[in-house]
C-alpha cells in the first residue's frame, strides 16, 4: 500500500525551525491539546492535502539552491511522529539526495512499545536533528497545559541522549502555566543529564493563533493571559543556562 502523508501547510523559506534555510512541512494530527496551540486546525479538521513521499521530496527540491550548506527539510506539525511511516519514507529519499533532515516534535507519540519503537529507531538513522518541545517539566502542570502526561516525552529525550542524536530543546514560556522558577530549575536539571543537547530555546507565548480557535469555535483556555514580559523571558534563559548550549552540527 502506498504511503500517504496528510499535509496541513508548507513554509518554503523557514529560518527558525532548524539550521539554515528550511523547507517545512507541517503535518496534520497531534495527540496533545496544548492550550497555546497556534495550529488547532491540525487536530481534527479535514483541511489537508495528501502527498506521497516522492511528491513531497520533489516539491521541496525546487528550493534546494536556497538552502546552502546548513539548510534542508524540517517536518513539523501538528505532530510529525503521528505520521511516522510517511516521515520515514520521505527522509530515506531525502538522505539519498544528501539533504539535511530535521523533525520538530512534541514527543507525544513516543513509546518504546512496538511497532512504533522499531520505526522510530530506523527513522533516527535518517534524521540529523530533532527540535524537542518540553512544554512543562512538572507532570501535573503538563497535563493541565497539554491534556497529556510528559513521562513518554522525557523518555524520548533520554533515549535520544542514549543514542547521541543531536537535539535542540524548546520551552514555550506561558505565564501561569509554564513559567515557574522551581519548574525551570527542575527542567535545567533534567537537561543537564542529557549528553546530546546542542541548543536550548525559550519561545515566549503569543496570541497570534487565537483567531483559529475562534474560527473553529473552540473555547480558548488562556483568555486574559498576556505574553511573558522581557524580564520573565530573561529569567527563564538564565535559569535554563541557554548560553551553555552552543554546540554546532557538522553538515
Amino acid at each position: 500500500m502506498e504511503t500517504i502523508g496528510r499535509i496541513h501547510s508548507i513554509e518554503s523559506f523557514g529560518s527558525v525551525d532548524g539550521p539554515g534555510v528550511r523547507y517545512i512541512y507541517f503535518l496534520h494530527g497531534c495527540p496533545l491539546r496544548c492550550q497555546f496551540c497556534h495550529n488547532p486546525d491540525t487536530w481534527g479538521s479535514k483541511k489537508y492535502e495528501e502527498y506521497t513521499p516522492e511528491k513531497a521530496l520533489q516539491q521541496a527540491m525546487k528550493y534546494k539552491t536556497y538552502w546552502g550548506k546548513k539548510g534542508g527539510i524540517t517536518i513539523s506539525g501538528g505532530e510529525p511522529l503521528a505520521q511516522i511511516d510517511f516521515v520515514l519514507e520521505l527522509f530515506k529519499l531525502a538522505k539519498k539526495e544528501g539533504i539535511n533532515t530535521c523533525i520538530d516534535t512534541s514527543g507525544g507519540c513516543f513509546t518504546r512499545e512496538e511497532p512504533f519503537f522499531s520505526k522510530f529507531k530506523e527513522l533516527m538513522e535518517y534524521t540529523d536533528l530533532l527540535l524537542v518541545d518540553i512544554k512543562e517539566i512538572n507532570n501535573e502542570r503538563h497535563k493541565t497545559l497539554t491534556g497529556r502526561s510528559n513521562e513518554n516525552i522525557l523518555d524520548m529525550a533520554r533515549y535520544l541522549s542514549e543514542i547521541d542524536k543531536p537535539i535542540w530543546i524548546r520551552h514555550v514560556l506561558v505565564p501561569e502555566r509554564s513559567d515557574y522558577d522551581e519548574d525551570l530549575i527542575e527542567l535545567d536539571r533534567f537537561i543537564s543529564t542529557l549528553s546530546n543537547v546542542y541548543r536550548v530555546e525559550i519561545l515566549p507565548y503569543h496570541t497570534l493563533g487565537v483567531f483559529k480557535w475562534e474560527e473553529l469555535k473552540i473555547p480558548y483556555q488562556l483568555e486574559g493571559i498576556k505574553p511573558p514580559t522581557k524580564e520573565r523571558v530573561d529569567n527563564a534563559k538564565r535559569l535554563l543556562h541557554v548560553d551553555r548550549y552552543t554546540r554546532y552540527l557538522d553538515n
Side-chain angles (χ1 to χ4, degrees):
M1 180 178 290
E2 189 174 44
T3 302
I4 297 293
R6 289 165 290 134
I7 309 298
H8 167 261
S9 56
I10 298 171
E11 184 175 349
S12 54
F13 290 96
S15 60
V16 296
D17 295 301
V21 176
R22 316 295 301 183
Y23 193 90
I24 308 170
Y25 278 109
F26 296 90
L27 303 193
H28 188 270
C30 183
L32 302 186
R33 292 295 181 264
C34 297
Q35 293 180 341
F36 56 80
C37 182
H38 57 272
N39 284 327
D41 44 337
T42 66
W43 291 352
S45 75
K46 301 299 182 183
K47 295 181 179 179
Y48 57 80
E49 292 188 54
E50 294 187 340
Y51 279 63
T52 63
E54 292 78 10
K55 177 182 176 181
L57 180 65
Q58 291 170 4
Q59 181 83 1
M61 288 285 285
K62 297 176 183 177
Y63 296 83
K64 188 177 181 180
T65 56
Y66 299 99
W67 298 343
K69 294 182 179 180
K70 294 183 178 181
I73 294 175
T74 294
I75 306 298
S76 186
E79 171 50 59
L81 296 181
Q83 298 190 52
I84 192 169
D85 293 328
F86 172 76
V87 179
L88 176 57
E89 294 306 313
L90 173 58
F91 276 17
K92 283 181 178 180
L93 296 173
K95 295 314 292 183
K96 288 181 180 179
E97 300 293 335
I99 297 171
N100 180 277
T101 55
C102 176
I103 299 174
D104 181 4
T105 175
S106 69
C109 293
F110 181 80
T111 176
R112 298 201 189 214
E113 296 181 1
E114 298 295 350
F116 179 90
F117 192 48
S118 291
K119 294 178 181 179
F120 185 80
K121 287 194 292 184
E122 184 179 8
L123 176 59
M124 291 305 97
E125 298 175 13
Y126 301 94
T127 303
D128 294 304
L129 172 70
L130 293 95
L131 314 182
V132 178
D133 298 332
I134 300 183
K135 317 289 188 181
E136 169 58 41
I137 194 69
N138 179 285
N139 197 27
E140 292 307 311
R141 286 180 176 145
H142 190 277
K143 290 176 183 177
T144 298
L145 186 61
T146 71
R148 292 288 189 97
S149 167
N150 66 9
E151 292 178 356
N152 65 316
I153 295 167
L154 301 182
D155 188 40
M156 184 186 75
R158 294 187 192 98
Y159 173 72
L160 293 172
S161 179
E162 290 170 13
I163 65 172
D164 200 31
K165 180 60 62 176
I167 65 173
W168 293 359
I169 287 182
R170 291 172 152 185
H171 178 72
V172 179
L173 195 69
V174 186
E176 303 178 35
R177 294 294 190 276
S178 62
D179 183 13
Y180 298 93
D181 283 6
E182 62 269 28
D183 292 356
L184 294 169
I185 291 169
E186 184 61 29
L187 177 57
D188 179 62
R189 288 196 190 103
F190 175 75
I191 293 172
S192 71
T193 67
L194 307 175
S195 62
N196 59 332
V197 180
Y198 281 61
R199 182 179 297 185
V200 174
E201 297 181 328
I202 301 297
L203 306 181
Y205 161 70
H206 61 74
T207 59
L208 300 179
V210 173
F211 76 95
K212 292 185 179 180
W213 291 71
E214 294 172 347
E215 289 178 349
L216 294 168
K217 295 181 171 54
I218 304 174
Y220 191 64
Q221 299 182 54
L222 299 183
E223 190 70 40
I225 294 180
K226 297 180 179 180
T229 63
K230 181 180 184 300
E231 289 73 20
R232 292 306 297 175
V233 174
D234 289 344
N235 177 69
K237 290 179 179 179
R238 177 179 60 83
L239 293 178
L240 291 180
H241 297 93
V242 298
D243 293 337
R244 180 189 297 162
Y245 302 95
T246 56
R247 298 163 67 188
Y248 294 91
L249 296 170
D250 293 326
N251 290 288

